[in-house]
Amino acid sequence: MHAAGDVRIEDVPDPSIVDPTDAIVRVTRACICGSDLWPYASMEPSENGQSMGHEAIGVVDTVGADVRDLKRGDLVVMPFASSDGTCAFCHEGLHTACEHVGFFGNNGMNGAQAEALRVPYADGTLFPLSVGEDDALMPSLLTLSDVMGTGHHAAVVAKVGPGKSVAVVGDGAVGLCGVIAAERLGAEQIIIMGRHPDRIALAKEFGATDVVSERGEEALELVRELTGGFGAHSVLECVGHGQALETAIGIARPGGAVGRVGVPQDEVIPGSQPAFFGNVTVGGGPAPVRAYIEELLPDILEGRIEPGKVFDRNVGLDGVPDGYRAMADRESIKVMVHP
Ligand SMILES: [Zn+2]
């Protein structure tokens, strides 16, 4: 990406091992993320551009001398952040706060919308899979690198559990995966807030019980009505702009919790007073998806959840620029890339 709206496919030098804990991964599947749309809308022109993409499944091609758990030919999920797997935060399951964290496709780090990329701390970062590289479950497995783990994180932070009422703000891939996560964790009622018919249909398939397509004060009233007048126990904020967070706080029941996973586009958090007077917990951040793979993987392998249904378009590398456009125009929910 060279500037807002300017995505190009370019030949760059092959990645190579820099540190002995690195691996080079040949990407077999990647995708375009809703969070890639923020720079797509606003990036300042940059001379060298930023290599994009932070979600991938691939095959290990080369490993550095200190890589112990992986070898050439292993099929792996690449979480959107690299982590060493050994520091205090990795042991606590908060891999996105790792002392050596790096975010693929950001701040000069190489991205996964590519044929191959360098992965730091390969043993800590990559999660090996025991399926073939063309397995039919590939779309769902690919969501473990970000959107499914991120939707799950929103649900965990929002304290979703059996019998709870849940509202999901945002009908993008993360919001839709948030519906799956809420259903999976036993929520009794799941309200999806969105306005695109294709996304709402998918949300219902994933377990949403109610739909609110209105915005602002009207949306707040409708959610309260649907939840016995009080608001939802758990609110998943899967958008990232101030209005979405304000809505999320506004529809939380007193004592409830908001799990934010949308990348915030504002420096301040709105809704301070309603959150305070309602004793509403507001938490969240970059999901430690590496920590969640182990928990979510069996449900995918055994067919209990199918988050891969969020992909509604497949492209080769040449189709990536148009894939960005299609997602920005809300023509596509999520684009899968086959390098
Ligand atoms: Zn760590």
Side-chain angles (χ1 to χ4, degrees), residues 30 59 71 88 149 152 182 285 305-306:
V59 176
K71 59 182 189 311
H152 178 70
I305 60 172
E306 256 186 286

Side-chain angles (χ1 to χ4, degrees), residues 83-90 95 97-100:
S83 52
D84 57 21
T86 55
C87 76
F89 292 103
C90 285
H95 296 69
C98 175
E99 286 179 44
H100 296 109

Side-chain angles (χ1 to χ4, degrees), residues 58 164 178-179 244 255 304 316 335:
K164 296 277 188 78
V179 172
R304 285 187 293 275
V335 173

Side-chain angles (χ1 to χ4, degrees), residues 242-243 245-250 258 268-280 282:
Q243 178 62 54
L245 188 54
E246 202 173 328
T247 298
I249 291 168
V258 174
V268 293
I269 297 181
S272 161
Q273 287 174 342
F276 178 85
F277 289 105
N279 268 285
V280 172
V282 179

Side-chain angles (χ1 to χ4, degrees), residues 110 186 203 294 317 327:
N110 61 182
E294 214 150 336
L317 277 182
M327 281 178 61

Side-chain angles (χ1 to χ4, degrees), residues 21 66-70 83-85 120-126 290:
T21 47
D66 291 345
V67 174
R68 299 278 171 260
D69 303 333
L70 296 164
S83 52
D84 57 21
Y121 300 98
D123 281 335
T125 302
L126 299 169
R290 180 63 175 76

Side-chain angles (χ1 to χ4, degrees), residues 118-180:
R118 179 176 81 91
V119 175
Y121 300 98
D123 281 335
T125 302
L126 299 169
F127 190 102
L129 293 171
S130 53
V131 298
E133 73 175 83
D134 286 316
D135 193 278
L137 294 173
M138 212 40 70
S140 288
L141 294 169
L142 180 56
T143 67
L144 292 172
S145 68
D146 187 350
V147 290
M148 186 60 225
T150 296
H152 178 70
H153 187 56
V156 168
V157 173
K159 303 176 186 171
V160 174
K164 296 277 188 78
S165 56
V166 177
V168 179
V169 180
D171 59 3
V174 171
L176 292 167
C177 288
V179 172
I180 296 176

